[in-house]
Amino acid sequence: MFPAIFLDRDGVLIENRAEYVRDWSQVIIYPEAIRALSSSKLKNHKIVIVTNQSAVGRGIISLETAEEINDRLVHLIRDQGSRVDGVYLCPHGPDDGCDCRKPRPGLLLRAATELSLDLKRSWMIGDAWSDVQAGQSAGVQGTILLKTGRGADQLSLPRPADIGEFLVCEDLPQALKIILADNRKV
């Protein structure tokens, strides 16, 4: 079984858009995040994107468009010498009651089963309380809230009562440094 680094997409790898990322032309990459994923020190971890895309459930974009955006992002990451081992997308709206929409852990649990991941040695990195909650609900080793994307705003909101300890980092490169420094325990 492999440890994983679970990454939210919007606000971690690409910029968030208040009106949703509706097509590839609206994608603005965080170049430093993509470069950070190319570290050879990550070779012992699976890299997995877990993303809520409620624009699909709201009828704003099609599932095919959401998947195309993810596919193009993965190709771009790979073209930059980095890798992604899996992408898991929740297409549901916030009121649909699915098991896969973060803060529920369904995306992480599905990835763990399909990719033979050891959640107790894995990390979740996101820019929202829901990312932290999903990681903690799945039983990952650690969760990190980035200040990129919505992260700084999330930190100014009340902390949900069910959230345990988590780390705060400026961006993905800083978060990966912390994980890799902790890698000696993995």
Side-chain angles (χ1 to χ4, degrees):
M1 295 190 48
F2 303 95
I5 298 173
F6 294 101
L7 303 171
D8 181 37
R9 187 189 81 178
D10 300 6
V12 174
L13 299 170
I14 66 174
E15 287 186 15
N16 271 327
R17 293 183 66 93
E19 67 283 357
Y20 306 103
V21 175
R22 297 171 184 234
D23 64 56
W24 183 253
S25 69
Q26 296 178 327
V27 172
I28 299 173
I29 305 286
Y30 290 137
E32 68 282 358
I34 306 305
R35 280 193 299 276
L37 289 174
S38 67
S39 171
S40 63
K41 295 177 183 178
L42 293 171
K43 69 180 184 266
N44 295 326
H45 290 82
K46 297 286 186 178
I47 306 298
V48 182
I49 298 171
V50 288
T51 180
N52 287 350
Q53 293 300 313
S54 69
V56 174
R58 297 171 196 266
I60 296 169
I61 64 171
S62 67
L63 179 59
E64 293 76 21
T65 298
E67 289 173 339
E68 177 198 346
I69 293 167
N70 287 340
D71 288 345
R72 288 183 76 171
L73 178 62
V74 169
H75 287 330
L76 182 138
I77 291 168
R78 289 178 178 158
D79 287 348
Q80 298 296 315
S82 303
R83 71 171 212 288
V84 173
D85 299 294
V87 179
Y88 292 82
L89 178 151
C90 172
H92 304 106
D95 299 325
D96 290 345
C98 67
D99 291 334
C100 56
R101 182 174 172 77
K102 296 177 287 178
R104 292 187 181 100
L107 293 177
L108 287 79
L109 298 176
R110 189 170 129 220
T113 299
E114 292 177 4
L115 300 174
S116 295
L117 305 178
D118 183 352
L119 291 170
K120 292 184 186 334
R121 296 187 304 146
S122 298
W123 288 78
M124 175 68 211
I125 302 172
D127 71 324
W129 290 129
S130 59
D131 298 316
V132 174
Q133 290 168 303
Q136 292 181 356
S137 293
V140 299
Q141 173 182 347
T143 53
I144 299 175
L145 182 68
L146 301 184
K147 290 184 179 179
T148 55
R150 299 176 294 158
D153 291 337
Q154 293 283 289
L155 288 167
S156 69
L157 298 172
R159 177 177 167 170
D162 62 341
I163 289 184
E165 288 187 37
F166 65 97
L167 301 175
V168 177
C169 291
E170 293 296 323
D171 55 19
L172 184 59
Q174 183 186 29
L176 293 176
K177 283 181 188 174
I178 288 170
I179 291 169
L180 293 173
D182 192 63
N183 194 31
R184 62 189 173 276
K185 299 177 189 173
V186 174

